[in-house]
Amino acid sequence: MVATQVKHDVKDLSLAPLGKQRIDWAGREMPVLRQIQERFAQEKPLAGIRLVACCHVTTETAHLAIALKHAGADAVLIASNPLSTQDDVAASLVVDYGISVFAQKGEDNETYHRHVNIALDHRPNIIIDDGSDVVATLIQERQQQIPDLIGTTEETTTGIVRLKAMLRDGVLTFPAMNVNDADTKHFFDNRYGTGQSTLDGIIRATNILLAGKTVVVAGYGWCGKGTALRARGMGANVIVTEVDPVRAIEAAMDGFRVMPMEAAAPYGDLFITVTGNKHIIRGEHFERMKDGAIVCNSGHFDIEIDLKTLKSMASEVKQVRNFTEEYRLNSGKSIVVLGEGRLINLAAAEGHPSAVMDMSFANQALACEYLVKNKGQLEPGLYSIPTEVDQEIARLKLQAMGIAIDTLTDEQVEYMNSWTSGT
Ligand code: ADE
């Protein structure tokens, strides 16, 4: 038994050495966050700040939590999904870094919500949220704590959609930083991060060959774009389904077949939902699918595949591999569901690679600093990451990648700022 004073609820503290080793490895790909951490260690911009981070507990999140600690924050980390926690990382954060963590892979929904409440008992001044569960709980159940809050930051598209709904309903009474929409976040994390890690999760769960398969990608937002692009790169025939007409044109002009799910259902060998919306794959679609079709989700919540209906159509459900369940339908055919319909990239793989999380979490760290610097000066509402911050993260990343770019000449600057010279 490993002794520690730090409050925690993690699976097994003896996993800490493995977690430490993997956290160190991830750090090699996170030079931007490392530079921010070094400055934070000198300047302590979050000194005395009580902070709650609700994130996927991964090697990359470990680096964010460590940077926040160097900044002087008194941080508690909880899981933003019951299946995404890396138990060795959670153990190492407690044992090696003295950070309070409440997260266990496979925790049930009740434990998940208990952890959210433990985190709120910390009376946070800042909340880093991924999917907006902590903020929604604060607003619905802990109104009296809102005066403690300086602000929140949100990591993901689904959370931003929820924050916008809160704003419309007049319940967002504090500033919230929109990390997701920073260019250095969604262009890379949502597109290349989700693209690669989703296929990684599918392959780890099933070991299927993608070449020659028909893959149906539901949703052509940044995550869908990345997933479709990478599936094509692996030799799959990709069909995209969309509800947004502009995105549908984009997918068609990017060279994908576009059609409704109803039409795509009989073709797909593999279905991947990345829409952020509910019941994208429903009973009528399962009915039309091929025997052995595989379905999975890489959107934030486990609502995109209607598993309740699928269960009602099945005579038997059995686990056939880790994260892989076969539903034997009354009709005789089988449908295979990966990762219980939860985000497959974090359930069966390790989430987005460190090199993209480097920029996402640089945005998170700087957003926290921005909130503290501007404490009391920001009206309630949703704020973009300042362009200078986004650009600085891009410059640091390029530098770390060893890529130099041109700078505008004085003549070009003058041209860009003038309207008098035309034809
Ligand atoms: N979201 C997606 N991938 C992630 C990762 N590797 N760490 C934390 N959050 C993530």
Side-chain angles (χ1 to χ4, degrees), residues 32-347:
V32 177
L33 188 59
R34 185 167 55 245
Q35 286 186 56
I36 292 169
Q37 177 179 311
E38 283 163 8
R39 178 172 66 74
F40 276 7
Q42 299 294 318
E43 298 176 7
K44 303 279 177 209
L46 305 183
I49 296 292
R50 290 188 305 273
L51 188 148
V52 162
C54 177
C55 299
H56 303 293
V57 179
T58 64
T59 51
E60 293 74 31
T61 298
H63 284 280
L64 175 62
I66 295 162
L68 297 169
K69 185 166 182 183
H70 276 89
D74 172 11
V76 169
L77 175 62
I78 59 170
S80 60
N81 185 289
L83 265 193
S84 62
T85 297
Q86 298 172 4
D87 290 317
D88 55 344
V89 170
S92 174
L93 283 172
V94 172
V95 172
D96 302 308
Y97 297 97
I99 294 172
S100 230
V101 182
F102 296 85
Q104 297 201 22
K105 189 172 179 93
E107 65 193 25
D108 58 20
N109 283 357
E110 192 195 321
T111 308
Y112 176 85
H113 289 293
R114 187 164 52 79
H115 288 163
V116 169
N117 277 296
I118 290 172
L120 285 171
D121 288 344
H122 191 52
R123 303 193 73 84
N125 308 119
I126 289 189
I127 296 169
I128 297 178
D129 222 348
D130 186 339
S132 227
D133 275 348
V134 180
V135 170
T137 308
L138 179 78
I139 291 174
Q140 286 169 308
E141 297 170 22
R142 303 261 193 143
Q143 280 281 328
Q144 74 284 4
Q145 279 183 234
I146 290 180
D148 289 345
L149 200 66
I150 298 171
T152 76
T153 71
E154 174 53 54
E155 171 76 4
T156 200
T157 317
T158 293
I160 296 301
V161 170
R162 288 180 92 184
L163 286 172
K164 285 181 179 165
M166 290 173 197
L167 203 54
R168 270 199 310 277
D169 286 352
V171 296
L172 188 69
T173 54
F174 41 82
M177 301 297 296
N178 181 345
V179 168
N180 182 69
D181 288 358
D183 287 349
T184 48
K185 200 278 182 182
H186 70 274
F187 281 160
F188 309 106
D189 167 317
N190 301 31
R191 180 168 36 175
Y192 303 113
T194 308
Q196 177 168 320
S197 62
T198 298
L199 296 194
D200 184 14
I202 292 164
I203 292 167
R204 289 196 206 194
T206 61
N207 198 27
I208 57 165
L209 179 74
L210 289 172
K213 294 273 192 316
T214 297
V215 175
V216 179
V217 176
Y220 205 63
W222 289 106
C223 297
K225 285 182 187 32
T227 306
L229 187 69
R230 289 295 177 254
R232 176 162 65 191
M234 296 286 279
N237 293 304
V238 179
I239 297 174
V240 170
T241 70
E242 244 306 335
V243 289
D244 180 300
V246 176
R247 285 183 178 168
I249 297 173
E250 207 182 352
M253 292 203 180
D254 284 344
F256 298 108
R257 275 186 296 164
V258 179
M259 62 184 82
M261 184 58 81
E262 170 108 5
Y267 292 119
D269 299 301
L270 169 66
F271 295 79
I272 308 169
T273 54
V274 256
T275 69
N277 211 330
K278 194 176 171 176
H279 293 178
I280 303 305
I281 302 184
R282 304 181 289 273
E284 67 263 32
H285 304 131
F286 295 126
E287 266 166 19
R288 305 196 71 196
M289 284 180 191
K290 291 190 216 176
D291 183 27
I294 300 173
V295 298
C296 67
N297 167 54
S298 212
H300 187 81
F301 288 120
D302 58 343
I303 49 167
E304 305 211 13
I305 303 169
D306 183 359
L307 286 181
K308 201 166 155 212
T309 299
L310 183 62
K311 270 192 193 108
S312 73
M313 295 165 70
S315 53
E316 190 194 359
V317 182
K318 68 170 186 227
Q319 183 166 352
V320 287
R321 280 172 67 97
N322 281 343
F323 307 110
T324 307
E325 286 183 312
E326 180 173 47
Y327 286 64
R328 176 73 52 194
L329 305 195
N330 298 323
S331 63
K333 80 180 173 192
S334 77
I335 303 286
V336 176
V337 178
L338 306 185
E340 300 167 24
R342 296 192 191 275
L343 15 75
I344 191 63
N345 60 337
L346 281 138

Side-chain angles (χ1 to χ4, degrees), residues 11-45:
K11 196 162 277 169
D12 181 357
L13 290 179
S14 74
L15 296 173
L18 176 62
K20 173 82 171 60
Q21 195 179 46
R22 294 199 320 106
I23 292 168
D24 288 347
W25 174 256
R28 296 181 186 207
E29 291 266 276
M30 303 186 77
V32 177
L33 188 59
R34 185 167 55 245
Q35 286 186 56
I36 292 169
Q37 177 179 311
E38 283 163 8
R39 178 172 66 74
F40 276 7
Q42 299 294 318
E43 298 176 7
K44 303 279 177 209

Side-chain angles (χ1 to χ4, degrees), residues 395 398 404-413 416:
R395 264 191 293 275
L398 271 180
I405 57 172
D406 285 324
T407 44
L408 293 171
T409 63
D410 291 346
E411 183 192 29
Q412 287 168 333
V413 172
M416 293 301 287

